C-alpha cells in the first residue's frame, strides 16, 4: 500500500524493506517524481550528514575520500549487525582507485547509492565515475556498481593490501 496522509512513521522503529519501498513510492509521488529519480536526489542529500556521522563515529579517517566512505557504507547504515542477510549493501575495495558495490535485497536501492556516490564526489571534489553492469530493475538478482576514482597521480593514495602488498613483499626480498 502506498503512503497515506494518516500514516505516520516512528524514527526509532525498524521497518521492513516493503515498508521502505512504500515510503519511497509515497514520497516520490508527493514530489511528482519517479522513484529512481527521487532516490538519487535523496542519496545526494544524505551524502553530507552520512559522511559527518561516519567521521563522528570514527568509522573513517577525517580525510576520508568518496571511495573510503562508500567502502564502509554497510557498517554505517546497518551498524554492527552481522546476521546473515542483514546487510543490503556491500563494498569491496579492489584497487586504490576502484570499488565494487553490490546492493542486495527485495527492494532496489541502487539509485539511492548512485545519489550518494554523486553527493560524496561533489562534497570531496573528486572525479568519480561509475558503471552499473547489473540492476534489479532490469531483472538481475542484485544491483552491481563499479566505482572508479580518476586519480592517475595517486594524489588520494589508499593503502589496499591486495594491490600494494606484493610490492612490499618484493621490496623486502631485494
Amino acid at each position: 500500500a502506498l503512503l497515506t496522509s494518516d500514516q505516520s512513521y516512528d524514527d526509532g522503529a525498524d521497518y521492513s524493506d516493503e515498508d521502505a519501498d512504500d515510503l519511497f513510492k509515497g514520497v516520490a509521488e508527493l514530489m511528482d517524481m519517479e522513484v529512481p529519480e527521487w532516490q538519487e536526489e535523496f542519496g545526494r542529500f544524505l551524502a553530507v550528514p552520512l559522511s559527518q556521522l561516519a567521521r563522528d563515529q570514527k568509522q573513517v579517517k577525517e580525510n576520508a575520500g568518496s571511495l573510503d566512505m562508500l567502502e564502509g557504507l554497510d557498517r554505517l547504515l546497518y551498524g554492527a549487525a552481522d546476521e546473515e542477510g542483514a546487510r543490503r549493501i556491500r563494498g569491496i575495495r579492489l584497487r586504490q582507485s576502484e570499488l565494487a558495490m553490490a546492493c542486495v535485497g527485495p527492494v532496489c536501492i541502487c539509485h539511492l547509492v548512485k545519489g550518494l556516490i554523486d553527493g560524496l564526489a561533489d562534497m570531496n571534489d573528486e572525479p568519480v565515475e561509475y558503471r552499473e553492469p547489473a540492476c534489479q530493475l532490469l531483472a538481475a538478482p542484485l544491483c552491481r556498481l563499479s566505482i572508479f576514482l580518476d586519480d592517475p597521480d595517486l594524489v588520494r593514495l589508499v593503502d589496499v593490501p591486495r594491490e600494494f602488498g606484493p610490492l612490499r613483499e618484493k621490496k623486502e626480498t631485494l
Side-chain angles (χ1 to χ4, degrees):
L2 278 178
L3 182 70
T4 62
S5 60
D6 63 340
Q7 218 170 343
S8 66
Y9 284 86
D10 177 7
D11 62 3
D14 290 327
Y15 294 98
S16 70
D17 289 328
E18 291 77 17
D19 286 338
D21 195 38
D22 286 345
L23 184 60
F24 286 159
K25 289 174 183 173
V27 172
E29 185 177 296
L30 289 171
M31 301 291 291
D32 196 28
M33 301 170 83
E34 296 295 321
V35 173
E37 178 188 12
W38 180 82
Q39 283 182 331
E40 284 190 40
E41 288 297 318
F42 188 54
R44 282 186 198 92
F45 168 79
L46 286 176
V48 172
L50 279 178
S51 69
Q52 189 58 52
L53 179 63
R55 286 181 175 92
D56 291 349
Q57 292 183 354
K58 309 242 184 288
Q59 291 190 17
V60 296
K61 294 179 182 175
E62 198 59 38
N63 62 344
S66 301
L67 295 183
D68 304 315
M69 301 293 280
L70 292 164
E71 185 176 15
L73 188 60
D74 63 333
R75 288 186 310 277
L76 184 60
L77 294 177
Y78 300 107
D82 57 6
E83 299 173 27
E84 187 63 34
R87 293 188 173 162
R88 302 283 187 230
I89 302 171
R90 294 182 176 89
I92 299 172
R93 192 65 160 265
L94 300 176
R95 289 193 297 272
Q96 183 269 332
S97 59
E98 183 179 0
L99 180 73
M101 291 194 82
C103 305
V104 182
V107 176
C108 181
I109 59 168
C110 65
H111 288 87
L112 179 71
V113 173
K114 289 177 194 177
L116 278 168
I117 294 167
D118 291 338
L120 289 168
D122 288 346
M123 183 184 80
N124 291 310
D125 193 28
E126 292 179 326
V128 174
E129 296 180 16
Y130 57 85
R131 290 191 312 258
E132 186 178 20
C135 180
Q136 287 178 298
L137 292 178
L138 301 174
L142 56 81
C143 297
R144 165 78 164 72
L145 295 159
S146 299
I147 307 156
F148 305 93
L149 173 65
D150 185 14
D151 187 21
D153 298 326
L154 298 180
V155 174
R156 296 169 177 90
L157 181 64
V158 174
D159 189 5
V160 180
R162 184 180 315 139
E163 186 174 9
F164 295 107
L167 293 174
R168 275 195 283 289
E169 290 171 11
K170 188 173 186 175
K171 181 180 175 185
E172 291 171 7
T173 60
L174 293 178

